[in-house]
Amino acid sequence: MPQTLLEGLLLGFVYAMVALGYTMVYGVLGLINFAHSEVFMIGAVIGLEVFRFWGNPDAPVISNPFLLLFVALVFAAVGSGTMAVLVERFAYRPLRKRGSKNILVPMITAIGVSFLLQDLTRIYAALRHNEFNMQYRTFDALNTTLMLPLQTTIQVKGIIIIVVSVLMLVGLTYLVNRTKLGKAIRAVSQDMQTAALMGINPDVIISRTFLIGGSLGGVAGVLFGLLYTNVTPYSGVLPGLKAFTSAVLGGIGNIPGAMVGGLVLGQLETLSGTYLPFLTNGNFGTEYKDVFAFLTLVLLLLFRPQGLFGQNVSEKV
Amino acid sequence: MSALHRFALPLSIGLTALSAAGVLLSLLGQPVVSSGLLNVLLVLGVASVMGLRLPTGWRSGLLAVLALALTILLRTNTDDKIAFYLLLAVLIASFLLPNLTQLVRIALGTSILLIAVPIAGLSNSFLFELGIQIGIFAALALGLNVVVGQAGLLDLGFAAFFAIGAYTWGIFGSPQAAQFIDGFPAQGLPGNYLFLFMALAIITAAITGVLIGLPALRLRGDYLAIVTLGLGEVVRVFANNLDKPLNITNGPQGITPVNRPDVGILADFLRAIGAERIYGRPIDDAITYSFFFYLLVLVVIGIVVLVNVRLANSRFGRAWVAIREDEIAAKAMGIPLLPTKLIAFATGAAFSGIMGAVFAAKQTFVSPESFTLQASINILAFVILGGMGSIGGAVVGAAAVTVLNLGILKDFSDLLNTWRQTGVNILGYNMANLPPQLNPAKYERLVFGLILILMMIFRPEGLIPEQRHKAELQEARQEAQEGGGK
């Protein structure tokens, strides 16, 4: 049991990291940025390339795995952040300029962007490595198993995941609540036009929001790749979906909510994955963990339509 | 542009006459013009008739001439896919161009659908395949159009209903049902039961629609999107895993073979009109089945379009639009929100359920692979690309994307392959050096994604916009220009 809980916690932190990116963008633009899964996947690919390039086992430029991981995280954050900004600049901003109030239009664009990025990555992987499944390098130092109390074990990379995601949450909360940029982000998310009248340039703020959300996604991507050791151009989709579910679960647009949503979803998934076969005499196996997660989401939304931490927005008539 | 319009009539007549003459000459075995040039002429002819401002009579006449020329061309040159796409364009044009009379539309439409396409399809079954695929996607798009386009409910799990319909026939029309029902015929129900099961699929899909809608439709906007997405995934996971404890869906392997109806009558009919060997080879089962499913899909599409049109103008259709435009105002006017939304959901589900049953029989194979989130998103994209809420738009969106994916991209791949093999030089680059990984057929998602992005930026109201929606978007654009200015 404690081991299961711990694994759920790890999974939950991964979802939570991705969910933060969703929630940032949603909070400001009210847009489900489906392309965030691909930003996350591209982060994983960038991390992989850094490991291959500087961590080549035969002639490593950087031999310390922790330093290498740090470099990979930095590169992935910068790369994914840039990618997110570019997506915003060339796909979403033209729509905003046209002033369409239909929420479906930017969402379809987001889907289009995500298709585009998936296949671009596929072309890249095909041309450069001639492969579809890209294997992450394994590092002994990161895979070392540590004993914890209550007969639980955790790998070093697990601890890194937990530490990094907690740092992300704290940093993001600080950024949004205490800094000038955070204030501007909140102003833009409240009312873009009024914010513009107050001397804030919404385009710049939105761009920075995408930069931050994208970099968080990139970091999450590297850690995800490290955990599952395998990346494909489509491996962003499922975690992206789960992360979005977490964001909704926690009350979309709410930063701590996204974190809690991710943790809850992670626990639900591992617990149901582990115990469903026992409870149903093996008739319903681990495959149903997604069903369980989604049905819980439906149930929760029925009773709290605004999510766990969301505020009830009263309707303007 | 205005200069072009002044010469619109002579230009269109000239182009049409030239291309028709070219077709006739090639029919006489005198290929005076090469087939490439002929195709270019035809493209220009169709484009001019569709795009330029012409008097009603002339436009109808020219469209008819073009349709006839294309049919003759397809009859002699069965591999000319461009001619087939143009025929589709003429078909769509004859239904959507504003100033044609009802009689002309019906005459042109039925003759293309029932005479021209079968003539082409009986000699090149790929064309039938394309037609059937377009029909299936168009019915799905019409179903989702009721939900998203008319009622404004964002459903990201629509493929679930398609799956329900497909499995309804797939399970009982195959040896699968005998796995869990004692005494069921070992080979499943005979194929002719498909017609009964198409009706049953409507019912089961509609019931599923209500079951999914009951919890989901209490939510709004993005929450509704994520919940329908989740419930759609739930249906897929069940389809994927219900091979134990009872083997109902046969899990990821899928169900095969699914029985098809008896097509003896159709084969007799083909023989009777002398089509047995007329295209140089005997009419076999495969082509008769293609023809049969083509007709079946046409009938279903016809019914779906009819129901759609009637519904759009009914009390429910108006209530849906009211809810889409302003939910609170609609509620204040006494429209019961949940029941009205549920009807929209069930209607959309029913449309895709019936096509699901047809799809299962056509493929003789059902597996969860066909009903992923990807499929749901594709259907949504058809609706948005075509123009939300517009019936013609849903059909055009489905047709455009299907032709692009199954036709144009594959043709382009073949062309590139030929270039690669023959080592053609283009702008100083030898095509033989092009890496084989760059095969356009593999990158349909990339092209599709690009199209989605560009469409949303340059024409967010879709190819064939619904009037109300178009007006709304124009208003918003104007507001943005006047007020925002940022």
Side-chain angles (χ1 to χ4, degrees):
Chain A
M1 183 77 178
Q3 185 66 38
T4 316
L5 286 178
L6 191 70
E7 272 159 25
L9 195 71
L10 264 186
L11 189 65
F13 272 118
V14 173
Y15 290 160
M17 281 190 282
V18 188
L20 288 177
Y22 273 106
T23 242
M24 286 281 289
V25 170
Y26 189 91
V28 170
L29 284 184
L31 160 72
I32 309 178
N33 182 14
F34 274 112
H36 191 65
S37 348
E38 275 57 52
V39 169
F40 162 80
M41 178 271 294
I42 285 173
V45 174
I46 293 175
L48 181 119
E49 290 297 330
V50 170
F51 285 147
R52 282 198 185 182
F53 192 71
W54 278 306
N56 182 1
D58 300 328
V61 179
I62 303 171
S63 47
N64 185 338
F66 293 99
L67 185 62
L68 190 60
L69 176 62
F70 181 73
V71 173
L73 288 180
V74 170
F75 268 81
V78 172
S80 291
T82 317
M83 180 62 76
V85 171
L86 288 178
V87 166
E88 194 276 329
R89 175 67 190 80
F90 291 108
Y92 303 147
R93 193 179 295 180
L95 297 184
R96 264 206 320 283
K97 293 295 165 218
R98 301 208 110 187
S100 162
K101 289 193 186 75
N102 190 336
I103 59 157
L104 276 178
V105 170
M107 207 182 79
I108 294 291
T109 310
I111 291 172
V113 171
S114 98
F115 284 0
L116 188 78
L117 293 182
Q118 279 168 8
D119 261 8
L120 281 180
T121 314
R122 203 153 66 101
I123 292 179
Y124 169 79
L127 285 181
R128 189 168 152 81
H129 304 298
N130 205 6
E131 62 189 18
F132 180 75
N133 269 321
M134 292 171 272
Q135 286 295 325
Y136 252 73
R137 250 197 79 190
T138 47
F139 300 94
D140 292 338
L142 294 176
N143 287 339
T144 317
T145 313
L146 300 179
M147 291 297 288
L148 294 181
L150 295 171
Q151 288 161 341
T152 50
T153 56
I154 188 170
Q155 289 182 321
V156 173
K157 58 190 182 188
I159 296 177
I160 295 178
I161 287 176
I162 295 178
V163 170
V164 170
S165 50
V166 170
L167 279 180
M168 271 187 190
L169 175 72
V170 174
L172 202 58
T173 316
Y174 175 80
L175 181 107
V176 170
N177 290 327
R178 294 272 187 278
T179 61
K180 215 168 173 184
L181 176 64
K183 216 174 195 173
I185 290 178
R186 279 181 291 144
V188 170
S189 76
Q190 286 246 320
D191 188 336
M192 212 179 285
Q193 273 186 338
T194 316
L197 292 177
M198 300 295 158
I200 297 170
N201 185 346
D203 286 339
V204 172
I205 299 301
I206 289 169
S207 223
R208 293 205 179 140
T209 314
F210 270 84
L211 181 69
I212 296 165
S215 346
L216 296 183
V219 169
V222 178
L223 295 176
F224 178 84
L226 212 57
L227 193 63
Y228 289 96
T229 66
N230 191 3
V231 180
T232 75
Y234 304 117
S235 56
V237 178
L238 203 61
L241 213 62
K242 298 279 176 58
F244 181 64
T245 310
S246 328
V248 172
L249 201 66
I252 191 157
N254 182 312
I255 290 170
M259 201 77 180
V260 175
L263 294 180
V264 170
L265 195 72
Q267 289 299 348
L268 268 176
E269 222 183 284
T270 32
L271 283 180
S272 57
T274 318
Y275 292 102
L276 262 181
F278 290 121
L279 293 175
T280 58
N281 285 328
N283 286 333
F284 291 96
T286 326
E287 314 82 71
Y288 287 93
K289 62 180 202 281
D290 292 350
V291 171
F292 210 73
F294 282 122
L295 288 183
T296 317
L297 176 81
V298 174
L299 277 180
L300 180 108
L301 288 180
L302 277 183
F303 293 107
R304 266 191 80 79
Q306 68 275 35
L308 282 174
F309 290 80
Q311 278 151 5
N312 215 344
V313 186
S314 62
E315 204 80 39
K316 273 179 253 165
V317 182
Chain B
M1 205 57 195
S2 63
L4 196 59
H5 277 302
R6 202 174 310 146
F7 297 109
L9 189 57
L11 190 66
S12 324
I13 296 173
L15 282 170
T16 310
L18 266 179
S19 37
V23 170
L24 282 177
L25 282 175
S26 69
L27 183 67
L28 292 172
Q30 305 279 320
V32 185
V33 285
S34 69
S35 69
L37 188 61
L38 187 57
N39 276 331
V40 172
L41 265 178
L42 280 163
V43 170
L44 287 176
V46 173
S48 66
V49 175
M50 282 171 72
L52 300 175
R53 228 176 283 149
L54 297 178
T56 309
W58 276 107
R59 183 175 263 171
S60 325
L62 291 178
L63 278 178
V65 171
L66 281 172
L68 191 65
L70 287 167
T71 313
I72 295 172
L73 187 62
L74 275 170
R75 168 74 181 80
T76 48
N77 188 2
T78 52
D79 289 332
D80 196 344
K81 284 184 194 154
I82 295 177
F84 186 73
Y85 304 146
L86 285 176
L87 198 63
L88 281 182
V90 173
L91 175 70
I92 288 169
S94 62
F95 276 106
L96 295 177
L97 285 179
N99 62 349
L100 294 178
T101 56
Q102 203 67 23
L103 190 70
V104 171
R105 283 180 211 279
I106 293 172
L108 263 177
T110 43
S111 54
I112 291 178
L113 282 175
L114 294 180
I115 300 170
V117 176
I119 283 180
L122 281 173
S123 37
N124 183 356
S125 58
F126 168 78
L127 303 180
F128 266 151
E129 192 62 30
L130 200 62
I132 298 170
Q133 240 4 291
I134 292 175
I136 289 176
F137 285 143
L140 295 178
L142 284 167
L144 189 62
N145 184 44
V146 172
V147 181
V148 179
Q150 298 198 23
L153 307 164
L154 182 50
D155 182 354
L156 287 183
F158 194 69
F161 306 124
F162 188 43
I164 299 281
Y167 273 101
T168 307
W169 173 240
I171 290 172
F172 293 100
S174 72
Q176 185 61 30
Q179 303 258 349
F180 62 98
I181 301 175
D182 283 337
F184 204 83
Q187 285 311 307
L189 293 171
N192 284 342
Y193 276 85
L194 172 66
F195 302 106
L196 172 68
F197 270 78
M198 279 162 68
L200 285 180
I202 293 184
I203 298 168
T204 41
I207 292 175
T208 322
V210 171
L211 285 181
I212 287 186
L214 262 179
L217 288 174
R218 291 167 205 276
L219 302 165
R220 312 188 29 189
D222 304 324
Y223 291 99
L224 175 64
I226 191 71
V227 166
T228 48
L229 186 154
L231 289 173
E233 280 294 285
V234 168
V235 169
R236 193 186 62 82
V237 171
F238 271 114
N240 210 2
N241 295 304
L242 269 186
D243 46 355
K244 62 186 188 313
L246 265 180
N247 188 356
I248 298 176
T249 64
N250 206 22
Q253 289 98 341
I255 300 172
T256 189
V258 178
N259 295 338
R260 297 163 146 191
D262 190 24
V263 289
I265 305 170
L266 196 64
D268 288 346
F269 168 75
L270 283 177
R271 266 180 225 115
I273 61 167
E276 196 173 1
R277 287 195 65 90
I278 197 162
Y279 297 116
R281 61 196 181 98
I283 298 285
D284 53 356
D285 251 16
I287 203 115
T288 326
Y289 268 116
S290 291
F291 191 26
F292 168 74
F293 280 109
Y294 172 73
L295 291 178
L296 186 63
V297 166
L298 270 191
V299 171
V300 174
I301 283 280
I303 296 171
V304 168
V305 168
L306 198 69
V307 175
N308 230 320
V309 171
R310 305 295 294 229
L311 268 177
N313 294 321
S314 74
R315 190 158 60 91
F316 296 117
R318 293 175 197 288
W320 291 334
V321 174
I323 290 179
R324 180 188 76 191
E325 297 299 315
D326 191 334
E327 198 169 310
I328 298 167
K331 195 177 177 185
M333 291 297 162
I335 294 173
L337 288 187
L338 190 62
T340 315
K341 288 180 179 179
L342 273 180
I343 291 172
F345 234 63
T347 316
F351 289 163
S352 73
I354 187 174
M355 255 327 171
V358 175
F359 177 76
K362 188 215 140 212
Q363 303 283 83
T364 69
F365 175 60
V366 191
S367 85
E369 290 272 297
S370 325
F371 314 108
T372 49
L373 173 65
Q374 179 72 46
S376 299
I377 287 180
N378 282 348
I379 306 169
L380 182 66
F382 299 152
V383 176
I384 308 282
L385 278 183
M388 278 216 312
S390 112
I391 293 171
V395 177
V396 173
V401 176
T402 313
V403 166
L404 183 78
N405 279 349
L406 291 182
I408 296 173
L409 280 180
K410 298 248 176 342
D411 296 349
F412 187 51
S413 281
D414 290 346
L415 183 69
L416 271 191
N417 267 333
T418 331
W419 283 352
R420 195 177 294 136
Q421 274 153 17
T422 49
V424 178
N425 266 305
I426 290 177
L427 298 175
Y429 182 81
N430 193 346
M431 295 303 279
N433 297 333
L434 200 70
Q437 288 95 340
L438 281 182
N439 193 350
K442 286 186 194 160
Y443 295 104
E444 47 186 69
R445 287 156 71 85
L446 183 132
V447 179
F448 188 37
L450 211 59
I451 291 175
L452 285 183
I453 299 170
L454 293 177
M455 271 292 288
M456 289 305 109
I457 291 177
F458 295 109
R459 203 177 159 84
E461 65 269 33
L463 290 168
I464 318 285
E466 190 207 23
Q467 288 309 315
R468 189 192 315 267
H469 199 72
K470 192 178 176 182
E472 230 169 74
L473 279 170
Q474 270 170 358
E475 205 175 290
R477 210 170 296 160
Q478 218 160 20
E479 253 174 50
Q481 269 172 7
E482 287 165 6
K486 299 188 300 284

